[in-house]
Amino acid sequence: MVGKILVLGATGNVGTPLVKALRTQGQAVKAASRSGKPVEGAEGVVFDYADPSTFGPAFEGVDRAYVMLPSGYVNAKELLLPVIEAAKARQVKVVFQSVFGVDADDSIPYRQVEIALEKSGLPYVILRPNWFSDNFQTYWKAGIDHGQIAVPAGEGKSSFIDVRDIAASAAAALTSDRFDGKAFNLTGPKALSYGEAAKILSDVIGKPVAYTAISDEAFIGILTGAGVPNDYATFLASIFYPVREGWTAAVTGDVETLTGKAPRSLETYAKDNAQALKA
Ligand SMILES: NC(=O)c1ccc[n+]([C@@H]2O[C@H](COP(=O)([O-])OP(=O)(O)OC[C@H]3O[C@@H](n4cnc5c(N)ncnc54)[C@H](OP(=O)(O)O)[C@@H]3O)[C@@H](O)[C@H]2O)c1
């Protein structure tokens, strides 16, 4: 493999540590976002899912691409299928960031994008990360500030994963052909309820953080009150159903298979991000 690696969402949660991991290995990277900002010493390139005229320049000189949908978008098929087509037209290997559990039902839009990739004839790797540990410093940060995380998770457990472990897994999938044609379910090392997670965060940042299980309706009300569009708030509520059912509690060895290292615990995530969690 001699071409450049295109990283979509390069200034985002996974994209930033992914570009860093690839640059550390000496890979030539094109860091794509709407702003086209350079990231971690990698050249920046403008890319907008909503503007296919940006695809050609972004794919120029590229033989591998990390494809993901940024947060805040619900129309996965509409935005991702044209990107898979653009990769196919140029015979670019795709490492696709999907979502944990979507293989349960072929009618789920993310699964349909996976199926399109599987049928594309391209070399590909599918990564299905579980809930990010890092959501505690993004989505749930306002709750932590108020001493209470309120989500409709019931007592369901999730094996939260640190974005650095998703990035390391992605870097391995992009720089080796050993994993081609396979899907990996990426999890952290242990399943935790939101109550257990709140206790860990509370101990690390040194202030009380409680967990309150709330209804979907109450959750949507809180999010829309904070300015989240109703369709995205409703989508976020819907993805807590698998959590309450216990489906996100599975722990796999897939991060270690890809990276050779065990994934980071929530304690490690919290310690390494204590400043951001306390800010
Ligand atoms: N959070 C979780 O727990 C979780 C769990 C499993 C799977 N996932 C999946 O992971 C994905 C999110 O990953 P992430 O948190 O790393 O993403 P993210 O941080 O939300 O992605 C933001 C990046 O995407 C770019 N971007 C935003 N809108 C764009 C557009 N229209 N065209 C091109 N680039 C655009 C942003 O830069 P600009 O703004 O400059 O364009 C930035 O680089 C979602 O698909 C989600 O379903 C999330």
Side-chain angles (χ1 to χ4, degrees):
M1 291 182 281
V2 290
K4 295 179 182 177
I5 301 175
L6 177 65
V7 175
L8 304 186
T11 58
N13 296 312
V14 175
T16 304
L18 172 56
V19 174
K20 188 175 181 181
L22 292 170
R23 293 289 298 152
T24 304
Q25 293 180 30
Q27 300 286 338
V29 176
K30 291 178 88 171
S33 64
R34 286 170 301 182
S35 71
K37 262 193 349 197
V39 179
E40 301 283 346
E43 67 177 284
V45 63
V46 172
F47 180 92
D48 189 341
Y49 291 87
D51 180 2
S53 74
T54 61
F55 294 8
F59 273 100
E60 182 70 42
V62 162
D63 63 6
R64 288 154 285 163
Y66 191 64
V67 173
M68 47 78 72
L69 189 67
S71 332
Y73 296 87
V74 285
N75 42 348
K77 273 172 69 179
E78 196 184 309
L79 293 176
L80 290 168
L81 290 178
V83 182
I84 305 289
E85 280 304 313
K88 191 173 168 183
R90 296 165 179 85
Q91 286 301 300
V92 167
K93 167 174 165 172
V94 171
V95 176
F96 173 48
Q97 180 178 307
S98 183
V99 178
F100 193 80
V102 300
D103 48 325
D105 183 344
D106 281 357
S107 72
I108 295 173
Y110 258 103
R111 175 65 192 137
Q112 293 186 2
V113 177
E114 291 184 358
I115 292 169
L117 182 58
E118 287 164 1
K119 289 184 175 161
S120 68
L122 291 174
Y124 74 86
V125 181
I126 293 167
L127 303 180
R128 301 189 189 112
N130 206 345
W131 287 87
F132 299 178
S133 302
D134 305 67
N135 293 342
F136 289 106
Q137 72 199 65
T138 54
Y139 292 125
W140 321 133
K141 174 68 167 60
I144 291 174
D145 293 347
H146 290 106
Q148 178 181 263
I149 297 168
V151 294
E155 295 311 311
K157 296 191 179 204
S158 303
S159 48
F160 299 103
I161 181 166
D162 191 306
V163 293
R164 292 171 294 179
D165 290 319
I166 304 172
S169 301
L174 285 160
T175 56
S176 165
D177 55 14
R178 282 189 298 139
F179 309 113
D180 288 5
K182 295 184 183 146
F184 296 89
N185 300 314
L186 305 181
T187 75
K190 188 176 177 189
L192 299 164
S193 68
Y194 276 80
E196 291 167 331
K199 169 86 173 70
I200 290 168
L201 297 169
S202 175
D203 289 348
V204 171
I205 66 175
K207 70 170 222 178
V209 183
Y211 164 59
T212 306
I214 57 174
S215 67
D216 283 7
E217 293 69 28
F219 180 68
I220 293 167
I222 292 170
L223 291 183
T224 51
V228 176
N230 190 60
D231 64 343
Y232 198 62
T234 304
F235 165 73
L236 286 177
S238 74
I239 58 179
F240 275 100
Y241 174 72
V243 178
R244 292 194 298 274
E245 290 295 306
W247 300 337
T248 57
V251 172
T252 73
D254 288 4
V255 168
E256 189 154 2
T257 301
L258 286 155
T259 69
K261 282 190 189 162
R264 293 167 175 87
S265 65
L266 190 71
E267 284 91 341
T268 299
Y269 155 78
K271 284 178 186 155
D272 291 350
N273 292 278
Q275 285 310 109
L277 288 163
K278 281 189 221 178

